[in-house]
Amino acid sequence: MRFGAHVGMGGGVFNAVTNAINIGCNAFALFLKSPRRWESPAISAEDAETFKELCKKHNYNPRTDILPHGSYFINMANPDEEKWQKSFDCLLDDLKRCEQLDIGLYNFHPGSHLGIADTASHETAENAGVRRLADGLNRAIKETNFVRVVVENMAGHGNYVCGNLDDFHTLFKLLNDPKRVGVCIDTCHAFAAGYNLNNEEEWNGFWKEFEEKVGIENLAALHMNDSMAPLGANRDLHQKLGWGFLGLECFRLLANDKRLEGIPLILETPLDGNDEGHYGEEIKLLEWLVGKEKDDPEFIAKSEEFQKLGFKSREEQAAKFEKKKTVKRKNEGKADISNMMKGRAKKAKKGD
Ligand SMILES: [Zn+2]
Ligand SMILES: [Zn+2]
């Protein structure tokens, strides 16, 4: 199992390799430029060489063990042509950086359809968004040589596409070269989008659905995060492993799942300050979970210990979610009453 984490690249991309080895990563993620800026200076040939040398020295195969994270601005589902093009240029720049560093995988967020349906093609906003994403991927693949573009699942918030497996099903049908595209499942996002993963039955149910709708051969990576918010809350709130609503059981199942062997398994859990040392501890924890049975007393004790640590934040988020649901129900109730009144007024007018 290639457990690793998203590490910093301050001072040059090559520093990410040292940061990764220092905390015991078997795979790692990094940014290839500032993720909150449209343009960044190119990576120098010298920096790229140092990066490749350090990978060799520390036994990372850049084609399989490194999963850079794309810029947050990229929105390949954007209905605005000009903004779509700007996103595409940024995506292509990211992909070229990967190939410069001999990196074989690249992960990014699929983007938002902004709630705008396509009147010309009569497509729903969601389908039009997925089609635009597929167009971008098809073009980007044509303009690059080997990097596999990995699309991350979203928490089902706002107008983001790919919060559900059906969107991925639609996406893969639209691809010219599906082997050059992969899926990254973020456990926190999946849970927030309504896929429960916190017990064996649900965990296996999710992967069965994944196999049916997407195909396990298209799974390229995982982001391993617990969730601070409850199931289906559509909130992208990462939590430390075992502290959230997924609990340690989810990560025990993950650590023992043969389907996940050989692909990058990346931590993006919250850090105290900027100390990546916590990732090192979580990697050790995951390695400890390999071969652990559900009823192992040590495992049970650790699960309970971590659940206690996350108790307060879970309570807070559960209360927020309940409040949101109540407001939603109230609004729906108001709409029902107003529709009823309208119906009655109509009937009265007709005279029946
Ligand atoms: Zn993620
Ligand atoms: Zn997230």
Side-chain angles (χ1 to χ4, degrees):
M1 302 297 274
R2 289 180 205 268
F3 300 123
H6 187 112
V7 293
M9 49 76 103
V13 277
F14 50 85
N15 281 331
V17 189
T18 322
N19 292 339
I21 199 76
N22 282 346
I23 55 171
C25 289
N26 290 308
F28 67 92
L30 76 162
F31 292 123
L32 298 172
K33 61 190 182 202
S34 165
R36 298 181 199 281
R37 230 183 291 150
W38 280 112
E39 274 166 69
S40 289
I43 298 168
S44 71
E46 207 186 342
D47 281 9
E49 226 23 70
T50 311
F51 181 89
K52 286 187 234 174
E53 272 167 26
L54 283 170
C55 283
K56 208 175 209 176
K57 184 179 162 199
H58 296 299
N59 269 322
Y60 292 115
N61 179 349
R63 292 287 179 113
T64 54
D65 307 342
I66 308 176
L67 180 75
H69 198 296
S71 300
Y72 292 122
F73 290 165
I74 295 173
N75 181 5
M76 294 314 303
N78 201 321
D80 182 292
E81 234 170 273
E82 212 171 289
K83 286 179 185 148
W84 186 93
Q85 187 60 46
K86 202 170 181 188
S87 287
F88 179 80
D89 294 341
C90 188
L91 172 73
L92 193 61
D93 176 67
D94 269 353
L95 295 175
K96 295 235 158 111
R97 283 167 194 254
C98 288
E99 297 200 337
Q100 184 190 6
L101 300 170
D102 203 33
I103 290 174
L105 295 163
Y106 166 84
N107 170 80
F108 79 116
H109 293 178
S112 159
H113 56 67
L114 309 175
I116 299 166
D118 194 314
T119 43
S121 65
H122 304 288
E123 282 172 297
T124 60
E126 194 158 10
N127 280 344
V130 173
R131 182 180 42 77
R132 285 188 295 266
L133 169 65
D135 288 347
L137 290 170
N138 286 334
R139 262 178 66 180
I141 281 157
K142 245 207 255 160
E143 291 187 37
T144 49
N145 298 313
F146 60 83
V147 61
R148 188 178 183 198
V149 193
V150 179
V151 184
E152 181 171 353
N153 68 316
M154 295 285 97
H157 51 310
N159 292 314
Y160 280 95
V161 296
C162 296
N164 58 62
L165 296 174
D166 299 283
D167 279 359
F168 283 107
H169 178 77
T170 311
L171 175 68
F172 272 84
K173 280 196 299 192
L174 296 169
L175 298 171
N176 298 336
D177 191 358
K179 281 200 178 70
R180 288 279 310 277
V181 178
V183 178
C184 171
I185 292 295
D186 185 308
T187 52
C188 167
H189 298 176
F191 187 74
Y195 295 101
N196 193 6
L197 304 169
N198 71 9
N199 65 68
E200 194 165 0
E201 205 189 327
E202 302 270 8
W203 173 266
N204 287 325
F206 174 79
W207 291 112
K208 192 169 167 262
E209 189 179 336
F210 188 93
E211 173 62 32
E212 284 162 9
K213 291 185 174 161
V214 192
I216 207 80
E217 71 281 6
N218 292 318
L219 181 73
L222 241 66
H223 282 170
M224 307 180 290
N225 302 304
D226 207 327
S227 172
M228 216 182 266
L231 177 68
N234 299 128
R235 297 288 313 276
D236 182 4
L237 285 174
H238 299 187
Q239 177 60 295
K240 292 188 171 89
L241 304 190
W243 290 36
F245 283 95
L246 282 169
L248 216 48
E249 173 63 2
C250 170
F251 301 99
R252 187 189 70 82
L253 292 163
L254 186 157
N256 290 289
D257 197 324
K258 294 253 176 289
R259 288 170 286 212
L260 310 178
E261 274 176 4
I263 60 169
L265 306 167
I266 305 294
L267 289 160
E268 292 177 328
T269 51
L271 294 174
D272 304 318
N274 244 339
D275 180 18
E276 286 173 358
H278 184 71
Y279 286 152
E281 284 167 37
E282 286 190 321
I283 290 167
K284 281 198 203 104
L285 171 71
L286 286 157
E287 280 162 356
W288 178 79
L289 287 170
V290 176
K292 276 271 174 304
E293 295 291 338
K294 196 184 169 192
D295 53 5
D296 184 310
E298 276 182 63
F299 168 72
I300 295 169
K302 202 165 273 277
S303 292
E304 285 170 0
E305 181 196 330
F306 284 7
Q307 279 290 289
K308 265 189 205 140
L309 291 167
F311 178 75
K312 224 181 125 214
S313 73
R314 286 200 313 279
E315 283 274 279
E316 275 170 25
Q317 290 304 325
K320 273 191 190 164
F321 186 43
E322 277 311 310
K323 209 173 151 195
K324 202 173 111 187
K325 276 197 288 192
T326 315
V327 172
K328 207 179 153 215
R329 265 200 300 270
K330 260 191 196 157
N331 287 340
E332 279 166 2
K334 270 186 206 155
D336 281 348
I337 290 168
S338 111
N339 283 340
M340 230 160 64
M341 304 284 264
K342 272 185 209 155
R344 271 188 204 152
K346 242 189 196 166
K347 271 187 189 170
K349 241 186 180 172
K350 272 189 192 164
D352 49 11

